[in-house]
Amino acid sequence: MTIDHAHDTHHHEEGFFKKYFWSTDHKMIAKQYLFTGMFMGLMGGFFAYALRMQQAFPGKTVPLYGVVTPTLYNALATNHGTIMIFWFAMPVLIAAFGNYLIPLMIGVDDMVFPRINRLSYQVFLLSAIVLIASFFVPGGAFGGAWTAYPPLSANANYNLTPWGASLWLVAVALEFVAFLLGGINFITTFMNSRAPGMKMFDIPMVLWTIIIASILFMASVGPLIAGAIMLLFDQTMSIGFFDPAKGGDPVLWQHLFWFFGHPEVYVVLLPAMGIVAEVITVFARKKLFGYKTVFYTMVGTGALSFVVWAHHQFIAGIDPRMANLFTITTVLISIPIAEMCFVYIATLYKASIEFSTAMLFALAFLAEFFIGGVTGIFLGASGSDIYFHDTYFVVAHFHYTFVPIAIIGVMAGLYFWYPKMFGRMMDEKLGKIHFWGTVISFNCIFIPLFYTGAAGDQRRIYNYQNFPHTNTEFLSDLRTFATISMVSMLLFQIPFLYNFFVSMKKGKVAGKNPWKSNTLEWVADSPPPHGNFKELPEVYRPPYEYSVPGRAQDYWPQNEKA
Amino acid sequence: MMEQIITQASSYAAQIDNVIHLIAAIVGVWLAVAFYVFFSFIFKYTRKRHPKAAYITGETHEDGKWVHRAHFVVIACDVVILVFAAMAWHHVKQQLPPAEATIRIVGQQWAWKFTDPGLDNQLDTVDDINTIDELHVKVNTVYHFKLEAKDVLHSFSVPVFRLKQDAIPGRVITGWFKPTKTGEYDIQCAEMCGIGHGVMAAKIVVETPEAHAAWLEQHKSQNITQNIKTKNLKKLAINK
Ligand SMILES: [Cu+2]
Ligand SMILES: [Cu+2]
């Protein structure tokens, strides 16, 4: 049987197209998502570059871009947000890592619905193409913010982007379809085809987080898909679901959007927390502190995240009494989140830490996320949100959650699983340059923006010279400093990209288990062949048995019999 | 802290700032403790200094103690924050003190239109004074505002007042403020409202009763009908 399988994979040499575009292999689909996501992420980064340059040097020609007019500024800001969440964070964190890791870590040969999986990526690719196309239609891309509040988004007379607005909406809806298909596949695979012996609490935390995230996504996105269709009707047929002149209500959209939008934060947060759990346990040679506690806090956070959405709408004209309710639920989220942070810190207690690049990113995730977490309280508390709402304080806060999630967390995962994905090691020296450059630049961007926000800078303003009070020299200097740091952060991705692509050919050969890790993906060859395992593994123990007393080795793979 | 960053010019600005200070103090302590523990572990338990890691499951009662105890403190802090936040919210947004004057504010693409009740202190009478992008108010006077939007969402924001309220087409939202410091301050639009969102600036002039009376007198007979559209086109052209 062993030999047969190996023979099998060598026999069917697929053509280029079939191998790279029509594959049903979960690992190839993961890479498709990864590369598409990385490409879109670079595009989103470039948009941020153009709009930050306009803020620092208003009206000047931006190198590599050109002049940023108010219309373009809005389109860039809108699509920067949309891309970074829907076309970068989600595809990389959930689709790429989920597709790659789920079958390998539960010890099976593929997903249970490989063709649905392929379709999921194809729909996703289509959605990306539609979004990019929206920049080239008459009127240009949609610029009504990533939240797309009507009536602005519903009526071309107001947004002046008759095509852009609809294409944006269609792209987002298609992206949701892709992730619904992917989610069905993930959950089914996870529930039905784990390796023999793998019980619920033997599953590595990262898989739990991806599965909980998929469930959160699927449970929250329904209302927004309905909302998107209603908005599309408003745009194309002037039905007026959100038009007060026709008896509609614009605030309804906000409820539908944020009912999804808040859980979405946890849809991307949880997988990042999961990745970090895998990385810190391996490089600390420690068992994850309180596996079940982590699990329950993740479920608790997920559940709570469904009842906090109106904290985005405190001052949006909802009944002011409602704000009290949503302040309570929002502040309550600090309980499971704080618990998670404590548990991760506790995992480092009496550890034996090796500062590999992956570990540095994982630790930086925690440190930065602490800041992102606590600054959220200023916004979740109704009284202080009156002032901070829609200021740069909000921008700085959520970048202190999303950058750790989508960049720092993702990097921890990429440096960690790269040897498995490509069979070779990445260069640690370049990795450390990348790490310090990225993390220092990141803090230099957003710490000044907390201040400008507190001083009154409101969001989505292309030129603060129009507002005398925020047009001071000091605030302008802070904005310029943030911009320079932003450019520096982008430039520090060059060593990463170089390292990433060159190491595929030139890196040191990794071998099966370079980090001496316990989980099942490290049992397979690097990179794993079609079908993953020569012999499907069996599981005898939980995933984080590191430094078990009385054993010569400080790790104990899940599949090792005794 | 906040008053050094941005002036407090309304009766409730200090209360909102105090909520901000309170949260800053509480989360500041938490952040400091978390960072201290986190970094001291990182420095102490390196591979070099601590080659053999301990085996701790974190599932036993004894292990969990530290995490759970910290938890009760988190809950206590939450309650304190909630109480003060809700009190500020109630004061600013829920309980409106009786009005000494009522104005109308209308947001539209891309200008703010203000209606002062005029000498009779009554809205919708002949002596109402309409202004665009400039609002004149008396210091130490409780104002109610009737906030409307003509086309899309806007948000009436006066940072020095710590006041922000979205304007929604089809609704009239009533709110209040009491200016406490004379001067000229920015009014912003804090909700994305289209390509002119970045130029939707206005100014609020808080003046003494005498100065306000003089302003009223001066504008009494003046019929202000400015063409908003042309004005905005001009503004956009300048800022391009
Ligand atoms: Cu939220
Ligand atoms: Cu606006």
PDB file of all heavy atoms in Angstrom, chain A residues 201-226:
ATOM      1  N   PHE A 201     -10.062  17.102  21.932  1.00  0.00           N
ATOM      2  CA  PHE A 201      -9.036  17.931  22.550  1.00  0.00           C
ATOM      3  C   PHE A 201      -7.619  17.491  22.188  1.00  0.00           C
ATOM      4  O   PHE A 201      -6.649  17.882  22.820  1.00  0.00           O
ATOM      5  CB  PHE A 201      -9.253  18.008  24.070  1.00  0.00           C
ATOM      6  CG  PHE A 201     -10.520  18.741  24.417  1.00  0.00           C
ATOM      7  CD1 PHE A 201     -11.399  18.261  25.382  1.00  0.00           C
ATOM      8  CD2 PHE A 201     -10.851  19.918  23.748  1.00  0.00           C
ATOM      9  CE1 PHE A 201     -12.572  18.943  25.685  1.00  0.00           C
ATOM     10  CE2 PHE A 201     -12.029  20.610  24.040  1.00  0.00           C
ATOM     11  CZ  PHE A 201     -12.885  20.122  25.006  1.00  0.00           C
ATOM     12  N   ASP A 202      -7.526  16.644  21.152  1.00  0.00           N
ATOM     13  CA  ASP A 202      -6.210  16.333  20.596  1.00  0.00           C
ATOM     14  C   ASP A 202      -5.958  17.147  19.335  1.00  0.00           C
ATOM     15  O   ASP A 202      -4.933  17.002  18.674  1.00  0.00           O
ATOM     16  CB  ASP A 202      -6.120  14.844  20.229  1.00  0.00           C
ATOM     17  CG  ASP A 202      -6.216  13.959  21.449  1.00  0.00           C
ATOM     18  OD1 ASP A 202      -5.906  14.448  22.551  1.00  0.00           O
ATOM     19  OD2 ASP A 202      -6.632  12.787  21.305  1.00  0.00           O
ATOM     20  N   ILE A 203      -6.933  17.964  18.986  1.00  0.00           N
ATOM     21  CA  ILE A 203      -6.821  18.744  17.755  1.00  0.00           C
ATOM     22  C   ILE A 203      -5.981  19.989  18.032  1.00  0.00           C
ATOM     23  O   ILE A 203      -6.223  20.690  19.014  1.00  0.00           O
ATOM     24  CB  ILE A 203      -8.226  19.156  17.266  1.00  0.00           C
ATOM     25  CG1 ILE A 203      -9.060  17.903  16.983  1.00  0.00           C
ATOM     26  CG2 ILE A 203      -8.131  20.043  16.046  1.00  0.00           C
ATOM     27  CD1 ILE A 203     -10.522  18.171  16.776  1.00  0.00           C
ATOM     28  N   PRO A 204      -5.003  20.265  17.181  1.00  0.00           N
ATOM     29  CA  PRO A 204      -4.190  21.465  17.391  1.00  0.00           C
ATOM     30  C   PRO A 204      -5.063  22.727  17.399  1.00  0.00           C
ATOM     31  O   PRO A 204      -6.034  22.824  16.655  1.00  0.00           O
ATOM     32  CB  PRO A 204      -3.251  21.472  16.180  1.00  0.00           C
ATOM     33  CG  PRO A 204      -3.211  20.068  15.704  1.00  0.00           C
ATOM     34  CD  PRO A 204      -4.542  19.473  16.039  1.00  0.00           C
ATOM     35  N   MET A 205      -4.685  23.673  18.253  1.00  0.00           N
ATOM     36  CA  MET A 205      -5.512  24.866  18.460  1.00  0.00           C
ATOM     37  C   MET A 205      -5.761  25.644  17.177  1.00  0.00           C
ATOM     38  O   MET A 205      -6.839  26.186  16.975  1.00  0.00           O
ATOM     39  CB  MET A 205      -4.847  25.757  19.514  1.00  0.00           C
ATOM     40  CG  MET A 205      -5.744  26.798  20.122  1.00  0.00           C
ATOM     41  SD  MET A 205      -7.361  26.204  20.641  1.00  0.00           S
ATOM     42  CE  MET A 205      -6.962  25.256  22.091  1.00  0.00           C
ATOM     43  N   VAL A 206      -4.782  25.672  16.298  1.00  0.00           N
ATOM     44  CA  VAL A 206      -4.972  26.478  15.093  1.00  0.00           C
ATOM     45  C   VAL A 206      -6.150  25.965  14.266  1.00  0.00           C
ATOM     46  O   VAL A 206      -6.878  26.744  13.650  1.00  0.00           O
ATOM     47  CB  VAL A 206      -3.673  26.539  14.242  1.00  0.00           C
ATOM     48  CG1 VAL A 206      -3.311  25.189  13.657  1.00  0.00           C
ATOM     49  CG2 VAL A 206      -3.816  27.565  13.125  1.00  0.00           C
ATOM     50  N   LEU A 207      -6.375  24.648  14.302  1.00  0.00           N
ATOM     51  CA  LEU A 207      -7.513  24.137  13.537  1.00  0.00           C
ATOM     52  C   LEU A 207      -8.825  24.525  14.202  1.00  0.00           C
ATOM     53  O   LEU A 207      -9.780  24.905  13.528  1.00  0.00           O
ATOM     54  CB  LEU A 207      -7.430  22.618  13.394  1.00  0.00           C
ATOM     55  CG  LEU A 207      -6.249  22.080  12.604  1.00  0.00           C
ATOM     56  CD1 LEU A 207      -6.503  20.619  12.241  1.00  0.00           C
ATOM     57  CD2 LEU A 207      -5.997  22.891  11.348  1.00  0.00           C
ATOM     58  N   TRP A 208      -8.844  24.450  15.523  1.00  0.00           N
ATOM     59  CA  TRP A 208     -10.052  24.911  16.214  1.00  0.00           C
ATOM     60  C   TRP A 208     -10.367  26.351  15.842  1.00  0.00           C
ATOM     61  O   TRP A 208     -11.497  26.716  15.573  1.00  0.00           O
ATOM     62  CB  TRP A 208      -9.879  24.816  17.735  1.00  0.00           C
ATOM     63  CG  TRP A 208     -10.286  23.502  18.318  1.00  0.00           C
ATOM     64  CD1 TRP A 208      -9.513  22.676  19.072  1.00  0.00           C
ATOM     65  CD2 TRP A 208     -11.561  22.862  18.201  1.00  0.00           C
ATOM     66  NE1 TRP A 208     -10.220  21.563  19.437  1.00  0.00           N
ATOM     67  CE2 TRP A 208     -11.483  21.647  18.915  1.00  0.00           C
ATOM     68  CE3 TRP A 208     -12.755  23.178  17.563  1.00  0.00           C
ATOM     69  CZ2 TRP A 208     -12.553  20.756  19.013  1.00  0.00           C
ATOM     70  CZ3 TRP A 208     -13.833  22.299  17.656  1.00  0.00           C
ATOM     71  CH2 TRP A 208     -13.714  21.110  18.369  1.00  0.00           C
ATOM     72  N   THR A 209      -9.326  27.184  15.851  1.00  0.00           N
ATOM     73  CA  THR A 209      -9.585  28.604  15.595  1.00  0.00           C
ATOM     74  C   THR A 209     -10.114  28.800  14.180  1.00  0.00           C
ATOM     75  O   THR A 209     -11.010  29.613  13.963  1.00  0.00           O
ATOM     76  CB  THR A 209      -8.323  29.448  15.803  1.00  0.00           C
ATOM     77  OG1 THR A 209      -7.305  28.995  14.919  1.00  0.00           O
ATOM     78  CG2 THR A 209      -7.835  29.385  17.225  1.00  0.00           C
ATOM     79  N   ILE A 210      -9.557  28.055  13.225  1.00  0.00           N
ATOM     80  CA  ILE A 210     -10.025  28.228  11.842  1.00  0.00           C
ATOM     81  C   ILE A 210     -11.465  27.736  11.713  1.00  0.00           C
ATOM     82  O   ILE A 210     -12.283  28.357  11.033  1.00  0.00           O
ATOM     83  CB  ILE A 210      -9.076  27.498  10.857  1.00  0.00           C
ATOM     84  CG1 ILE A 210      -7.736  28.243  10.807  1.00  0.00           C
ATOM     85  CG2 ILE A 210      -9.696  27.424   9.464  1.00  0.00           C
ATOM     86  CD1 ILE A 210      -6.650  27.529  10.031  1.00  0.00           C
ATOM     87  N   ILE A 211     -11.771  26.646  12.410  1.00  0.00           N
ATOM     88  CA  ILE A 211     -13.129  26.115  12.330  1.00  0.00           C
ATOM     89  C   ILE A 211     -14.121  27.052  13.024  1.00  0.00           C
ATOM     90  O   ILE A 211     -15.183  27.371  12.475  1.00  0.00           O
ATOM     91  CB  ILE A 211     -13.191  24.697  12.947  1.00  0.00           C
ATOM     92  CG1 ILE A 211     -12.406  23.722  12.078  1.00  0.00           C
ATOM     93  CG2 ILE A 211     -14.639  24.235  13.131  1.00  0.00           C
ATOM     94  CD1 ILE A 211     -12.845  23.664  10.625  1.00  0.00           C
ATOM     95  N   ILE A 212     -13.762  27.530  14.207  1.00  0.00           N
ATOM     96  CA  ILE A 212     -14.670  28.461  14.893  1.00  0.00           C
ATOM     97  C   ILE A 212     -14.853  29.709  14.039  1.00  0.00           C
ATOM     98  O   ILE A 212     -15.963  30.229  13.879  1.00  0.00           O
ATOM     99  CB  ILE A 212     -14.132  28.824  16.298  1.00  0.00           C
ATOM    100  CG1 ILE A 212     -14.083  27.577  17.189  1.00  0.00           C
ATOM    101  CG2 ILE A 212     -15.021  29.881  16.961  1.00  0.00           C
ATOM    102  CD1 ILE A 212     -13.352  27.786  18.506  1.00  0.00           C
ATOM    103  N   ALA A 213     -13.761  30.168  13.430  1.00  0.00           N
ATOM    104  CA  ALA A 213     -13.848  31.346  12.564  1.00  0.00           C
ATOM    105  C   ALA A 213     -14.781  31.080  11.384  1.00  0.00           C
ATOM    106  O   ALA A 213     -15.602  31.935  11.020  1.00  0.00           O
ATOM    107  CB  ALA A 213     -12.467  31.746  12.067  1.00  0.00           C
ATOM    108  N   SER A 214     -14.684  29.897  10.793  1.00  0.00           N
ATOM    109  CA  SER A 214     -15.556  29.579   9.660  1.00  0.00           C
ATOM    110  C   SER A 214     -17.014  29.556  10.087  1.00  0.00           C
ATOM    111  O   SER A 214     -17.896  30.026   9.360  1.00  0.00           O
ATOM    112  CB  SER A 214     -15.192  28.216   9.061  1.00  0.00           C
ATOM    113  OG  SER A 214     -13.864  28.226   8.628  1.00  0.00           O
ATOM    114  N   ILE A 215     -17.257  29.000  11.278  1.00  0.00           N
ATOM    115  CA  ILE A 215     -18.632  28.969  11.762  1.00  0.00           C
ATOM    116  C   ILE A 215     -19.137  30.385  12.011  1.00  0.00           C
ATOM    117  O   ILE A 215     -20.252  30.746  11.615  1.00  0.00           O
ATOM    118  CB  ILE A 215     -18.738  28.108  13.049  1.00  0.00           C
ATOM    119  CG1 ILE A 215     -18.405  26.645  12.727  1.00  0.00           C
ATOM    120  CG2 ILE A 215     -20.129  28.215  13.665  1.00  0.00           C
ATOM    121  CD1 ILE A 215     -18.238  25.764  13.950  1.00  0.00           C
ATOM    122  N   LEU A 216     -18.305  31.207  12.638  1.00  0.00           N
ATOM    123  CA  LEU A 216     -18.697  32.603  12.887  1.00  0.00           C
ATOM    124  C   LEU A 216     -19.024  33.294  11.571  1.00  0.00           C
ATOM    125  O   LEU A 216     -20.026  34.003  11.450  1.00  0.00           O
ATOM    126  CB  LEU A 216     -17.556  33.376  13.555  1.00  0.00           C
ATOM    127  CG  LEU A 216     -17.221  33.094  14.996  1.00  0.00           C
ATOM    128  CD1 LEU A 216     -16.083  33.997  15.453  1.00  0.00           C
ATOM    129  CD2 LEU A 216     -18.445  33.321  15.860  1.00  0.00           C
ATOM    130  N   PHE A 217     -18.160  33.079  10.587  1.00  0.00           N
ATOM    131  CA  PHE A 217     -18.369  33.726   9.297  1.00  0.00           C
ATOM    132  C   PHE A 217     -19.698  33.300   8.694  1.00  0.00           C
ATOM    133  O   PHE A 217     -20.520  34.122   8.290  1.00  0.00           O
ATOM    134  CB  PHE A 217     -17.226  33.379   8.346  1.00  0.00           C
ATOM    135  CG  PHE A 217     -17.433  33.926   6.961  1.00  0.00           C
ATOM    136  CD1 PHE A 217     -17.140  35.256   6.681  1.00  0.00           C
ATOM    137  CD2 PHE A 217     -17.934  33.127   5.949  1.00  0.00           C
ATOM    138  CE1 PHE A 217     -17.351  35.773   5.420  1.00  0.00           C
ATOM    139  CE2 PHE A 217     -18.150  33.637   4.679  1.00  0.00           C
ATOM    140  CZ  PHE A 217     -17.856  34.963   4.419  1.00  0.00           C
ATOM    141  N   MET A 218     -19.921  31.980   8.673  1.00  0.00           N
ATOM    142  CA  MET A 218     -21.128  31.490   8.015  1.00  0.00           C
ATOM    143  C   MET A 218     -22.381  31.925   8.757  1.00  0.00           C
ATOM    144  O   MET A 218     -23.416  32.176   8.148  1.00  0.00           O
ATOM    145  CB  MET A 218     -21.062  29.968   7.903  1.00  0.00           C
ATOM    146  CG  MET A 218     -19.950  29.541   6.966  1.00  0.00           C
ATOM    147  SD  MET A 218     -19.630  27.794   7.000  1.00  0.00           S
ATOM    148  CE  MET A 218     -20.932  27.202   5.957  1.00  0.00           C
ATOM    149  N   ALA A 219     -22.274  32.039  10.080  1.00  0.00           N
ATOM    150  CA  ALA A 219     -23.459  32.416  10.852  1.00  0.00           C
ATOM    151  C   ALA A 219     -23.734  33.907  10.783  1.00  0.00           C
ATOM    152  O   ALA A 219     -24.866  34.336  10.998  1.00  0.00           O
ATOM    153  CB  ALA A 219     -23.281  31.981  12.311  1.00  0.00           C
ATOM    154  N   SER A 220     -22.729  34.712  10.475  1.00  0.00           N
ATOM    155  CA  SER A 220     -22.952  36.154  10.516  1.00  0.00           C
ATOM    156  C   SER A 220     -23.153  36.777   9.144  1.00  0.00           C
ATOM    157  O   SER A 220     -23.682  37.878   9.033  1.00  0.00           O
ATOM    158  CB  SER A 220     -21.775  36.845  11.215  1.00  0.00           C
ATOM    159  OG  SER A 220     -20.588  36.637  10.464  1.00  0.00           O
ATOM    160  N   VAL A 221     -22.750  36.060   8.096  1.00  0.00           N
ATOM    161  CA  VAL A 221     -22.716  36.714   6.793  1.00  0.00           C
ATOM    162  C   VAL A 221     -24.085  36.756   6.112  1.00  0.00           C
ATOM    163  O   VAL A 221     -24.323  37.595   5.241  1.00  0.00           O
ATOM    164  CB  VAL A 221     -21.660  36.043   5.877  1.00  0.00           C
ATOM    165  CG1 VAL A 221     -22.202  34.757   5.266  1.00  0.00           C
ATOM    166  CG2 VAL A 221     -21.192  36.994   4.805  1.00  0.00           C
ATOM    167  N   GLY A 222     -24.996  35.871   6.544  1.00  0.00           N
ATOM    168  CA  GLY A 222     -26.315  35.815   5.910  1.00  0.00           C
ATOM    169  C   GLY A 222     -27.002  37.163   5.800  1.00  0.00           C
ATOM    170  O   GLY A 222     -27.348  37.612   4.695  1.00  0.00           O
ATOM    171  N   PRO A 223     -27.195  37.850   6.938  1.00  0.00           N
ATOM    172  CA  PRO A 223     -27.866  39.148   6.875  1.00  0.00           C
ATOM    173  C   PRO A 223     -27.169  40.126   5.929  1.00  0.00           C
ATOM    174  O   PRO A 223     -27.834  40.897   5.241  1.00  0.00           O
ATOM    175  CB  PRO A 223     -27.772  39.663   8.316  1.00  0.00           C
ATOM    176  CG  PRO A 223     -27.635  38.443   9.144  1.00  0.00           C
ATOM    177  CD  PRO A 223     -26.901  37.446   8.311  1.00  0.00           C
ATOM    178  N   LEU A 224     -25.842  40.066   5.875  1.00  0.00           N
ATOM    179  CA  LEU A 224     -25.146  41.027   5.019  1.00  0.00           C
ATOM    180  C   LEU A 224     -25.332  40.678   3.545  1.00  0.00           C
ATOM    181  O   LEU A 224     -25.444  41.574   2.704  1.00  0.00           O
ATOM    182  CB  LEU A 224     -23.658  41.092   5.359  1.00  0.00           C
ATOM    183  CG  LEU A 224     -22.896  42.149   4.559  1.00  0.00           C
ATOM    184  CD1 LEU A 224     -23.533  43.519   4.696  1.00  0.00           C
ATOM    185  CD2 LEU A 224     -21.452  42.213   4.979  1.00  0.00           C
ATOM    186  N   ILE A 225     -25.401  39.383   3.229  1.00  0.00           N
ATOM    187  CA  ILE A 225     -25.648  39.021   1.835  1.00  0.00           C
ATOM    188  C   ILE A 225     -27.034  39.526   1.434  1.00  0.00           C
ATOM    189  O   ILE A 225     -27.214  40.120   0.369  1.00  0.00           O
ATOM    190  CB  ILE A 225     -25.515  37.494   1.629  1.00  0.00           C
ATOM    191  CG1 ILE A 225     -24.042  37.099   1.792  1.00  0.00           C
ATOM    192  CG2 ILE A 225     -26.021  37.096   0.248  1.00  0.00           C
ATOM    193  CD1 ILE A 225     -23.744  35.644   1.555  1.00  0.00           C
ATOM    194  N   ALA A 226     -28.005  39.347   2.336  1.00  0.00           N
ATOM    195  CA  ALA A 226     -29.344  39.896   2.071  1.00  0.00           C
ATOM    196  C   ALA A 226     -29.234  41.404   1.876  1.00  0.00           C
ATOM    197  O   ALA A 226     -29.801  41.971   0.923  1.00  0.00           O
ATOM    198  CB  ALA A 226     -30.275  39.573   3.229  1.00  0.00           C
TER     199      ALA A 226
END
